[in-house]
Amino acid sequence: MKRLLTVIGSILFFTAMLVFPKAAFQGACSGVVLWFHTVLPTLLPFLIITNLLIHTGAVRLISRLLAPALCPFFRVSPYGAFVILTGFLCGCPMGSKVTADLLRENAISRCEACYLLSFCNNTSPMFVISYVLWQNLKIPALTLPLLAILTAAPVLLSFLFRRLCHVSAQEHGYIFRNSSVQTPSAENSSTSLDDCIMNGFETITRIGGYIILFSILISFASLLPFRPAAVTALLLPSLEITAGIPMICSAPLSLNSQIILALALTSFGGWCAAAQTRAMLKGTSLPFLPYIAEKLITALATSLLVWMFLLFC
């Protein structure tokens, strides 16, 4: 059934590109511009550096520094503390990529990887501040409380997700697992750097492909003659966050409603980010559907927290 739906969807998408070439071209152009001017310079350096940290073993030192603060609170291993750092600061899908990379290196267990994936793959704070709150919602005065809510929602839900992932007290501590993460010899250092750069470009190219495809899909959706308010304010914006946020802010809604929907979408990340995350998990045994459910729960919790804040502020 899944294969049949994929085949039908591919045929429909191909047909739409033939019937509406102008919309396909405009969507592809907007996707390329978004990828080249925003995603590439923002994410590629983090991809290369995190690859280098893992391959050189430097991640072990950083993890050891983070462990005293993060391991007891989140019940993760030292390497898990590094995932938390990248997942909250570097932007989606960095959290999922680092989680998958460390799982492949046997640096973290599958149980811990599932737990980390549930709350450590978030939109970067800089994107939230500059693009969501300042450029589109135009509410710089609420930057700190709303950013705190976006951070607090996954942190609070981590206590629930750790139970669902069966993470016990024995999962955390300052002991490193036996893994293949190690410092390379001097003669292999340049090779490791080249491999890290090529892996970074492969990953960023894959992300760009998803952005272009979803941008074309949004362009096709804009051709629909009749679009209910629910479709305009919820379904279409959820496809891709960068295009979705302006849609929400231009919808005929009150400012509070726009804030709630925009931050819920920011917390979820959009279906394009979900597709990117699924690509990062290839080659691992990490399940994808539970991740989607956890992100939707986080988006719901974020919207409730924002609603409460706006109600009493």
Side-chain angles (χ1 to χ4, degrees):
M1 184 63 181
K2 180 180 177 181
R3 180 177 177 82
L4 177 62
L5 292 176
T6 302
V7 171
I8 294 175
S10 300
I11 293 174
L12 291 176
F13 198 88
F14 177 70
T15 303
M17 291 183 66
L18 295 178
V19 177
F20 305 106
K22 184 178 180 180
F25 177 78
Q26 291 174 341
C29 286
S30 62
V32 169
V33 170
L34 169 63
W35 175 78
F36 185 78
H37 287 286
T38 304
V39 179
L40 178 65
T42 302
L43 205 57
L44 181 59
F46 284 110
L47 289 168
I48 296 175
I49 294 301
T50 52
N51 285 336
L52 195 60
L53 290 174
I54 293 174
H55 281 80
T56 60
V59 64
R60 190 180 184 92
L61 174 60
I62 297 177
S63 300
R64 192 179 297 277
L65 294 174
L66 296 172
L70 299 181
C71 289
F73 184 81
F74 288 102
R75 292 188 181 178
V76 294
S77 67
Y79 286 126
F82 178 75
V83 174
I84 294 173
L85 177 69
T86 56
F88 276 90
L89 296 183
C90 299
C92 183
M94 281 302 301
S96 60
K97 184 181 187 303
V98 176
T99 300
D101 287 345
L102 290 175
L103 179 61
R104 294 187 189 98
E105 298 284 348
N106 196 33
I108 57 177
S109 67
R110 183 183 181 278
C111 177
E112 184 179 2
C114 291
Y115 169 52
L116 290 167
L117 187 63
S118 69
F119 73 100
C120 290
N121 195 37
N122 303 304
T123 307
S124 70
M126 288 307 300
F127 178 86
V128 173
I129 294 172
S130 61
Y131 187 77
V132 179
L133 300 180
W134 292 0
Q135 182 176 335
N136 285 281
L137 289 173
K138 296 179 173 60
I139 48 172
L142 299 179
T143 297
L144 288 180
L146 293 181
L147 185 62
I149 289 175
L150 281 172
T151 304
V155 170
L156 292 175
L157 286 172
S158 69
F159 293 94
L160 170 64
F161 296 151
R162 79 172 56 157
R163 292 183 176 274
L164 297 178
C165 296
H166 306 291
V167 175
S168 63
Q170 286 73 29
E171 287 288 329
H172 78 278
Y174 305 138
I175 300 176
F176 289 91
R177 288 171 57 89
N178 293 326
S179 67
S180 55
V181 178
Q182 56 186 352
T183 304
S185 58
E187 59 269 19
N188 292 331
S189 296
S190 60
T191 303
S192 295
L193 178 59
D194 290 342
D195 292 341
C196 293
I197 292 174
M198 291 308 299
N199 180 270
F201 271 99
E202 178 184 349
T203 302
I204 202 69
T205 303
R206 186 178 300 171
I207 291 173
Y210 282 107
I211 291 175
I212 292 171
L213 289 177
F214 275 84
S215 296
I216 294 174
L217 187 59
I218 292 174
S219 183
F220 286 156
S222 65
L223 298 176
L224 295 175
F226 176 71
R227 286 180 290 170
V231 173
T232 304
L234 294 175
L235 182 58
L236 288 183
S238 70
L239 292 177
E240 206 281 316
I241 183 173
T242 311
I245 295 296
M247 289 183 190
I248 292 175
C249 295
S250 61
L253 301 169
S254 66
L255 178 59
N256 283 359
S257 298
Q258 291 178 356
I259 294 173
I260 293 172
L261 290 176
L263 265 69
L265 174 57
T266 303
S267 181
F268 172 57
W271 293 106
C272 181
Q276 296 169 23
T277 298
R278 185 178 184 183
M280 299 301 107
L281 301 182
K282 283 187 177 180
T284 71
S285 58
L286 296 175
F288 179 66
L289 289 181
Y291 165 78
I292 291 296
E294 289 154 355
K295 292 300 288 185
L296 291 174
I297 293 172
T298 304
L300 177 60
T302 301
S303 63
L304 291 176
L305 290 174
V306 174
W307 175 77
M308 292 173 60
F309 168 76
L310 296 175
L311 184 64
F312 294 106
C313 73

